[in-house]
Amino acid sequence: MLSSTALPLSLPALIPGPLAAEEAGVAPATIRKWVQLGHLRAAGKAGRAQLFRLEDVFAAERAARRRPRIA
C-alpha cells in the first residue's frame, strides 16, 4: 500500500533542440545531425520545433564520445 507521503510520478520534461544543445555543450546543428543519423529521437513536437528528453540528449552525447570519428 502506498503512503500518502509518496512523491507523485511526473513525466520527464521536454526541451527544444537549441536548449538541449546548450545543456549538452554542443551546437544545435549537432542535435539535428544526431537526429538525422538516428542517434537521437525527438520525444515530441511543439509546432515545428522538435522536443527532446534531456536524458536522451545526454545519452546520445555520451555515445558520440565513444564512437570513433571517421575522417
Side-chain angles (χ1 to χ4, degrees):
M1 183 166 163
L2 292 175
S3 70
S4 62
T5 59
L7 295 175
L9 296 176
S10 63
L11 295 174
L14 300 179
I15 59 173
L19 181 56
E22 185 178 321
E23 291 294 323
V26 298
T30 302
I31 298 291
R32 292 190 299 272
K33 190 60 149 182
W34 288 345
V35 171
Q36 181 184 25
L37 294 172
H39 302 308
L40 177 64
R41 283 187 57 194
K45 289 193 106 177
R48 291 177 45 191
Q50 292 182 316
L51 301 175
F52 301 93
R53 289 183 187 93
L54 197 51
E55 63 260 21
D56 294 343
V57 174
F58 288 146
E61 191 270 333
R62 284 190 304 271
R65 275 193 269 136
R66 288 191 298 263
R67 283 191 293 272
R69 295 183 109 174
I70 299 173

